[in-house]
Amino acid sequence: MYDGKITDVPGIEVGHAQDFDAKTGCTVVISREGAIGGVDVRGSAPGTRETDLMRPMNLVEKVHAVVLCGGSAFGLAAASGVMRYLEERGIGFDAGVAKVPIVAGAVIFDLGYGDWRVRPDENMGYQACLNASASDVPQGSVGAGTGATVGKILGMECCMKGGVGTSSIRLPGGIVVGAIVVVNALGDVVDPKTGRILAGARHPKTGAFIDTWKFIIEGNALKNAVSGNTTIGVVATNARLTKEQANKVAAMAHDGLALAIRPVHTMLDGDTLFALSTGKFECDVNVIGIAAAEAVARAVVNAVENA
């Protein structure tokens, strides 16, 4: 397991809330002072909120929270609870007549694992904020990782548990780059250093890993593959980034998913990563992007090893 957590980045807090019986939940990443935000969507079946607002040409630059949710598109309702929590504390974009909290979000599809009738809602989003802190970040089958699974090429009967994981990297000069990732992938999770499968699809008779990437390349159809997948997450840094650079870091961070998940970014995944900059130290954006990819890969490994 890798060390570090996204809350090693000053100004970043994380909170989980979940329903263990229904096997779903949400995770919120809060920046009370606001952080320059970026986003990159690579999967082809995403469920997201406020991603257009985070594009470089648009007005608002600072994001106050990112909520990662189970429940498919239904789970985006949790963002309303996050907005309520932040508004009560006077946090938001000053629109003159009111302060409007900027809350981005993304969802995973976990309806096929637990009770599909129960999804993250406004109350769960609010509770996640109440649970938020800048200290310990629980990993594994908690928060948005409660109902996460991986390796679904042969269906739910042959998959394994996914989860939520976090990691951070410290760079020279006091710079920290952290990540938190909810791993709910179609593909297998592998050790980035060795390629060894850590969690994924298992043969229905032998229980051995089938190696999803090899299984597909050899010409096997995806007809039994479950469409409810998606890996989502947030990378954060105390390096000073512009909005354009934050979007670039979000894009580079997806390399970490490619290092640790095989395959990734398929038509059956909605992979989305956000980037937040709390903006204190000057640094080359290339360095931040490279570190973000490594932090994401480590967080993916931590997610399944703690699940």
Side-chain angles (χ1 to χ4, degrees):
M1 188 171 70
Y2 293 99
D3 294 329
K5 53 191 182 297
I6 192 171
T7 52
D8 293 335
V9 178
I12 297 296
E13 300 174 30
V14 171
H16 298 306
Q18 58 280 311
D19 184 325
F20 288 120
D21 292 330
K23 297 181 174 61
T24 193
C26 66
T27 296
V28 64
V29 179
I30 297 176
S31 174
R32 295 177 188 269
E33 299 299 319
I36 300 296
V39 65
D40 192 86
V41 181
R42 294 288 175 92
S44 296
T48 57
R49 168 193 164 99
E50 296 282 38
T51 51
D52 282 344
L53 178 145
M54 300 172 78
R55 304 297 182 191
M57 290 188 296
N58 293 326
L59 173 65
V60 175
E61 291 202 346
K62 288 193 173 183
V63 176
H64 303 102
V66 178
V67 59
L68 309 173
C69 303
S72 189
F74 297 109
L76 289 173
S80 296
V82 178
M83 289 194 69
R84 174 160 60 94
Y85 173 89
L86 294 172
E87 183 187 27
E88 289 174 354
R89 287 151 181 80
I91 297 170
F93 174 78
D94 191 347
V97 296
K99 286 190 176 181
V100 181
I102 305 302
V103 180
V107 298
I108 65 169
F109 187 104
D110 58 4
L111 303 181
Y113 180 58
D115 186 344
W116 64 270
R117 297 165 297 183
V118 178
R119 306 104 180 208
D121 57 12
E122 180 176 345
N123 289 334
M124 187 178 285
Y126 191 89
Q127 185 61 50
C129 293
L130 292 177
N131 295 340
S133 77
S135 56
D136 187 39
V137 181
Q139 301 182 78
S141 299
V142 295
T146 303
T149 50
V150 298
K152 287 165 278 190
I153 190 70
L154 297 180
M156 293 297 290
E157 297 79 10
C158 300
C159 72
M160 288 181 65
K161 194 68 186 65
V164 60
T166 187
S167 183
S168 68
I169 295 174
R170 295 186 181 274
L171 302 175
I175 294 173
V176 183
V177 180
I180 188 166
V181 182
V182 182
V183 185
N184 187 60
L186 172 73
D188 304 325
V189 174
V190 304
D191 184 329
K193 296 178 180 178
T194 66
R196 180 174 65 90
I197 298 175
L198 302 175
R202 292 186 177 276
H203 192 283
K205 294 182 179 179
T206 67
F209 289 120
I210 68 163
D211 191 334
T212 298
W213 182 85
K214 183 179 179 182
F215 183 82
I216 296 172
I217 290 296
E218 289 177 344
N220 292 288
L222 277 69
K223 63 181 180 180
N224 293 320
V226 176
S227 60
N229 305 293
T230 296
T231 297
I232 54 178
V234 180
V235 295
T237 181
N238 59 344
R240 183 180 293 116
L241 300 177
T242 65
K243 196 172 183 181
E244 290 84 352
Q245 289 173 331
N247 276 270
K248 181 61 177 178
V249 168
M252 294 179 72
H254 274 276
D255 291 349
L257 298 185
L259 287 170
I261 301 173
R262 297 186 65 185
V264 73
H265 303 144
T266 73
M267 294 295 291
L268 302 177
D269 290 284
D271 307 319
T272 301
L273 291 179
F274 298 91
L276 301 177
S277 164
T278 58
K280 182 178 180 181
F281 297 99
E282 294 290 342
C283 188
D284 186 334
V285 67
N286 295 293
V287 176
I288 302 301
I290 292 167
E294 178 65 19
V296 164
R298 294 180 180 186
V300 170
V301 171
N302 284 346
V304 297
E305 289 194 338
N306 283 280

